[in-house]
Amino acid sequence: MYPNLTPFLSRITMFLLVILFTATSLQAQVRFGNSYVNISKKTAGGTVQNGDTLEIRANFFFPQNYNSNIVYFVRYVDNIPTNTTYIGDSLRLITNEGLTYKRWTNAADTDPGTYLATPPAGQYNVRINIGRTATNPANNTATSSTGASYLRTGGSGQDKPYVGGGMLVTTAFRVRVTGNIGDTITLGAGQLRFKARNVSGDPDSIIQAIQYKILISDNIPICPNAVGRNFVAEAGGTFDSGTTQNRSYAPTFAIPNYNYSPLTYANNTGDGNYIVVNNLSPSASTFQDATKKPFCAAAATPPLAPAACENRMWQGHWDIIGDHTGSTTPAGNPPVAPGTRGGYMLVVNAAYPTSEAYRQFLTGLCPNTSYEFSLWVRNVCTNCGIDSNRVQTWRPGVNPNLTFVIDGLDRYSSGEIDTVGWMKKGFMFTTGPAQTSITISIRNNASGGGGNDWAIDDIALVTCNPDLNMLPGPSVAACVGQQIDIFSEVSSYFNSYVNWVWERSTNGGTTWSSTGTSGTGTPVYNGSAYEYTATYPSFVGTLADSGTLYRIKVASSLANLTNPDCSFSNNTIVVVRFSTCYVLNTKLLSFSGQLRNGYTALWWTTENEEAGAVFDVERSDDGTHFHKIGTVNARAAGMGATYNFTDPTAVSGTVLYRLKTIERSSHTYSRLVMVSNKPEPGIRSLVNPFTNKISFEIVSTEKGTAMITLTDALGRLVKHSRESFISGVNPVTLHGLEGFSKGMYTLRVQLKDKIINKQVLKLEQQ
């Protein structure tokens, strides 16, 4: 079960650039962004935690010919973010790759940088005078121009770092997080000031930084039991599929300060542009091993040979790839030729300043409920790096670094995305006690130019469900007058699903009603999950009770317990059946059934058969009343055999079957088998823990393909499989797991737009 979330895309509002004009409109052409990088989790990514080191950055791109390629009295001021402390001697100018270009001491000495731990009123913690002849500031106010110098932003004698046709200035300093879990870090009110003329009395042009807010939180990995669908905008986060290289319709969103520009051979995707494509080659080539720079031969013209550099973006740079949807490896899907259907992906050639890349408003969420927010991201260029002199290094250069934001609070950063293929990045969050909607956004946290070109796909928001294990189950066979004890083990990644109620069905699961037995659990952490047991009161059965179904429903609040979209019930249902007990010679070893083409196929095995024994196959459409639909004669006196029987009547709804074994004047009944033509999609009968294989069943309402992956505790893919399935129950087995190390693994099954994660335990084989 997953909530019926009803998403819709809100209008994206530009919030990145805040420009205050005090004299002219010149800096309308200056592009600006501010950001931070979690140095402690620079490659791994994660949440911000106590003790982490953050590098606070602000970047300013001056295009060529701006203000005749020169600006004057350039300086930057900022304050230390809340809930952090400054790390000494970290005042710097850096390149867009984060490499130090210039560095200064903290003291108010002769160099252009100064840090004041306790600035006087009207002054800032940090001031950096910028320019080729910059010297020490007189004080840390924003208005003083003393010591600030000029920058040649283009033309002859241009100052570094060069980027594209202009200059990118990036300031940086570092802080250590001192706040606790639940505290919020607010960035300082930084600002860049400069003048259009070399006149100290002229008013300043001011570019104001955005005071982003960062939530300090536990670095909780994605939960092992997430079930839901990719429901965000753009075809459920997959960006759809089609037979044309560029999607036939434009995106339903916009990226601030970016242009949507469909890809063609004559129109490569430049800085500050984005596309939605199923093949990243500008010539629509499907040959992924085309030559890259710096190993290109003389420029080619169409028709191109498969290995020609011109098959890659910008005549020899970007990877030639397809999208990720349905893939089980970092390589993703291969690119498709024009006219062949392929999945789309969003690809961004990052602009020089940092900026927002995706935003959506979602409503219909459940209060106090855990969700996974995730996506797949890929660095698409292995040779795009440039140095501060604008010389190609043939390295990846700037690695993408994305920040995930919920309701204006930064919650998670991807870390640097290296050129290893598609990577899944995501985090867990829990809605508030009355919260039913959120705004999610993704921000590009690294400067563009010389790399930082990336693709994203399969954006997902799914619920993190509790696991409900019914014991005993799935069927309890008992004699009339026997005491029955049933209970459920409730296990959850979070400790919020504490409210429970037992429900009963007497019509085969068509309708359910409360038994009046409910309560509140007290979860106990077992090292991997929170667990408690919910017990149904013991009762003595009668024949009238035979065939009754029981299940448990849990939720994170009493209100959610009454909301079918916000409560969770188990697929494993206890069926209680009673009969007058007899001891027979014939032993029934197994009895199973499966829906095949709308009809039920049943099979069973026996041993020690009594001569003359018969098997009556009985069916119930209401869960209580059974009628005989066929008889099979035993054929292996003194031995055992396997039998098959197909119900001649099609299944409509949920049907129960039982086997009546008859010897002379005595008989006994088998366990019940339930078959439905409308099963809830999911997995069931998971054998956990496992040793050398993992077995389970896929339940589906239609035929299709399931992508199955197994990852270890470090998130590394160790096993993958693509399984075709039909409508109904489909057995699946992952073999070849003998040599795996013991410990916890995550089994992930994707059924079209539904995702299911299960945590499984590997034991050593005895």
Side-chain angles (χ1 to χ4, degrees):
M1 194 288 301
Y2 47 82
N4 179 21
L5 304 176
T6 308
F8 62 90
L9 188 67
S10 67
R11 182 179 62 88
I12 295 180
T13 58
M14 182 165 59
F15 69 93
L16 181 64
L17 188 60
V18 180
I19 302 179
L20 306 179
F21 294 91
T22 56
T24 71
S25 61
L26 287 173
Q27 73 263 39
Q29 303 171 53
V30 178
R31 302 193 62 185
F32 162 77
N34 63 292
S35 61
Y36 61 91
V37 173
N38 190 336
I39 301 298
S40 301
K41 300 183 176 73
K42 190 173 182 180
T43 56
T47 61
V48 171
Q49 297 175 281
N50 182 282
D52 283 355
T53 295
L54 307 182
E55 183 167 273
I56 311 301
R57 298 176 177 179
N59 43 73
F60 316 91
F61 176 68
F62 294 91
Q64 194 171 32
N65 299 322
Y66 173 78
N67 199 43
S68 300
N69 290 326
I70 190 168
V71 291
Y72 301 92
F73 301 104
V74 185
R75 67 270 190 198
Y76 178 77
V77 293
D78 204 349
N79 282 320
I80 303 304
T82 61
N83 288 308
T84 68
T85 184
Y86 178 75
I87 297 177
D89 294 335
S90 64
L91 298 178
R92 294 181 297 158
L93 293 182
I94 62 175
T95 68
N96 58 351
E97 293 184 26
L99 304 177
T100 299
Y101 178 62
K102 293 182 179 180
R103 187 169 185 168
W104 303 288
T105 62
N106 297 328
D109 48 20
T110 57
D111 68 44
T114 301
Y115 166 73
L116 298 177
T118 309
Q123 298 194 38
Y124 290 78
N125 293 118
V126 169
R127 171 159 169 155
I128 299 175
N129 283 341
I130 302 173
R132 61 174 57 187
T133 62
T135 59
N136 59 298
N139 54 57
N140 277 19
T141 63
T143 55
S144 171
S145 59
T146 301
S149 186
Y150 66 95
L151 286 173
R152 291 198 177 275
T153 58
S156 178
Q158 177 183 345
D159 288 313
K160 301 177 185 178
Y162 303 145
V163 172
M167 178 184 184
L168 181 68
V169 177
T170 304
T171 64
F173 61 89
R174 294 185 177 184
V175 296
R176 181 167 291 108
V177 177
T178 58
N180 299 314
I181 299 296
D183 291 342
T184 299
I185 298 171
T186 303
L187 299 191
Q191 56 180 258
L192 181 81
R193 289 179 176 243
F194 60 92
K195 301 178 189 293
R197 299 190 306 163
N198 191 17
V199 178
S200 61
D202 276 4
D204 289 328
S205 295
I206 306 170
I207 301 178
Q208 190 80 44
I210 296 173
Q211 292 186 270
Y212 293 121
K213 298 181 184 298
I214 310 164
L215 181 67
I216 303 174
S217 59
D218 287 324
N219 199 36
I220 301 172
I222 294 172
C223 76
N225 187 23
V227 180
R229 56 190 174 92
N230 292 351
F231 71 95
V232 294
E234 294 294 328
T238 67
F239 298 99
D240 210 346
S241 65
T243 57
T244 58
Q245 182 177 16
N246 293 277
R247 199 175 63 179
S248 60
Y249 59 95
T252 55
F253 63 94
I255 301 177
N257 301 318
Y258 279 70
N259 297 313
Y260 172 65
S261 180
L263 174 63
T264 67
Y265 183 74
N267 182 36
N268 282 203
T269 304
D271 290 324
N273 291 275
Y274 66 98
I275 52 179
V276 180
V277 293
N278 62 15
N279 182 334
L280 206 48
S281 166
S283 64
S285 170
T286 60
F287 184 66
Q288 295 182 270
D289 293 326
T291 310
K292 291 184 179 182
K293 289 183 176 180
F295 305 107
C296 296
T301 57
L304 300 173
C309 280
E310 285 73 15
N311 289 311
R312 295 184 182 273
M313 196 76 68
W314 298 109
Q315 295 80 48
H317 284 291
W318 285 12
D319 295 338
I320 299 175
I321 61 171
D323 77 329
H324 172 268
T325 302
S327 172
T328 58
T329 68
N333 298 315
V336 297
T340 302
R341 179 168 293 276
Y344 292 114
M345 55 191 160
L346 170 68
V347 187
V348 176
N349 190 335
Y352 302 129
T354 55
S355 60
E356 187 179 54
Y358 190 90
R359 173 174 287 238
Q360 185 181 0
F361 176 73
L362 303 171
T363 189
L365 280 70
C366 298
N368 197 31
T369 299
S370 303
Y371 291 93
E372 169 192 319
F373 177 38
S374 62
L375 57 76
W376 289 80
V377 59
R378 177 170 181 153
N379 187 332
V380 298
C381 191
T382 60
N383 64 345
C384 285
I386 59 173
D387 63 18
S388 60
N389 291 309
R390 212 163 28 222
V391 176
Q392 290 279 350
T393 65
W394 313 119
R395 301 194 310 267
V398 182
N399 285 322
N401 190 325
L402 305 179
T403 292
F404 298 174
V405 186
I406 294 182
D407 293 334
L409 270 179
D410 291 7
R411 304 292 294 265
Y412 173 91
S413 291
S414 68
E416 292 188 353
I417 306 299
D418 205 349
T419 53
V420 295
W422 288 99
M423 303 172 65
K424 184 180 180 182
K425 295 291 182 176
F427 67 101
M428 299 300 307
F429 73 97
T430 303
T431 51
Q435 185 178 16
T436 59
S437 62
I438 62 170
T439 297
I440 60 173
S441 58
I442 303 166
R443 192 171 67 248
N444 179 20
N445 215 27
S447 302
N452 197 23
D453 304 322
W454 44 272
I456 60 174
D457 200 4
D458 294 335
I459 306 171
L461 186 69
V462 293
T463 54
C464 184
N465 291 2
D467 188 26
L468 309 175
N469 184 27
M470 301 286 283
L471 296 171
S475 178
V476 179
C479 300
V480 172
Q482 181 180 339
Q483 178 175 304
I484 301 299
D485 298 290
I486 58 176
F487 59 96
S488 177
E489 292 177 341
V490 180
S491 178
S492 175
Y493 202 58
F494 294 91
N495 62 351
S496 55
Y497 298 110
V498 297
N499 297 278
W500 54 266
V501 62
W502 282 93
E503 295 184 326
R504 176 194 296 117
S505 174
T506 58
N507 56 8
T510 301
T511 59
W512 293 86
S513 60
S514 173
T515 64
T517 299
S518 61
T520 303
T522 304
V524 176
Y525 191 63
N526 66 4
S528 61
Y530 291 92
E531 289 186 340
Y532 68 89
T533 299
T535 302
Y536 187 76
S538 300
F539 63 96
V540 175
T542 67
L543 283 176
D545 297 320
S546 190
T548 301
L549 281 63
Y550 292 87
R551 73 178 184 185
I552 192 170
K553 184 165 65 175
V554 301
S556 57
S557 68
L558 289 175
N560 284 349
L561 199 60
T562 60
N563 184 343
D565 291 332
C566 297
S567 56
F568 304 86
S569 57
N570 49 343
N571 290 328
T572 303
I573 300 169
V574 170
V575 181
V576 182
R577 62 180 181 84
F578 299 96
S579 63
T580 303
C581 295
Y582 300 94
V583 178
L584 303 183
N585 291 324
T586 303
K587 297 292 189 294
L588 188 65
L589 301 181
S590 66
F591 179 47
S592 303
Q594 185 177 3
L595 189 68
R596 293 178 179 173
N597 299 319
Y599 294 84
T600 301
L602 299 166
W603 60 92
W604 63 94
T605 58
T606 66
E607 69 175 7
N608 194 37
E609 288 185 4
E610 174 79 11
V614 296
F615 305 100
D616 283 349
V617 183
E618 298 184 350
R619 167 176 172 153
S620 173
D621 292 278
D622 62 7
T624 302
H625 302 94
F626 285 82
H627 61 278
K628 185 170 70 173
I629 59 173
T631 298
V632 177
N633 294 321
R635 64 172 184 267
M639 302 174 62
T642 298
Y643 299 88
N644 298 281
F645 180 86
T646 299
D647 185 352
T649 304
V651 172
S652 177
T654 299
V655 178
L656 296 178
Y657 295 91
R658 70 184 183 187
L659 199 64
K660 181 179 180 181
T661 304
I662 304 171
E663 289 181 1
R664 299 185 183 91
S665 60
S666 300
H667 69 271
T668 189
Y669 288 101
S670 70
R671 73 179 185 91
L672 297 182
V673 169
M674 182 170 62
V675 176
S676 175
N677 66 347
K678 296 181 179 180
E680 180 181 351
I683 67 175
R684 70 182 193 187
S685 304
L686 174 65
V687 178
N688 187 24
F690 70 96
T691 53
N692 61 346
K693 63 182 179 180
I694 297 177
S695 299
F696 58 94
E697 294 175 330
I698 293 177
V699 183
S700 178
T701 58
E702 56 184 323
K703 67 178 182 179
T705 302
M707 271 59 70
I708 302 169
T709 60
L710 188 68
T711 55
D712 64 15
L714 298 178
R716 297 174 298 194
L717 180 68
V718 296
K719 189 78 173 178
H720 64 85
S721 176
R722 184 187 293 263
E723 302 286 341
S724 297
F725 57 85
I726 62 174
S727 176
V729 180
N730 302 261
V732 177
T733 302
L734 296 182
H735 293 281
L737 310 182
E738 298 90 344
F740 288 16
S741 301
K742 66 178 182 179
M744 299 305 300
Y745 292 80
T746 299
L747 175 69
R748 185 179 185 90
V749 180
Q750 181 171 347
L751 306 170
K752 292 193 173 180
D753 62 352
K754 182 169 184 177
I755 298 170
I756 304 170
N757 288 344
K758 293 287 185 181
Q759 194 172 66
V760 292
L761 176 64
K762 170 70 164 62
L763 300 178
E764 290 184 346
Q765 191 168 5
Q766 301 298 319

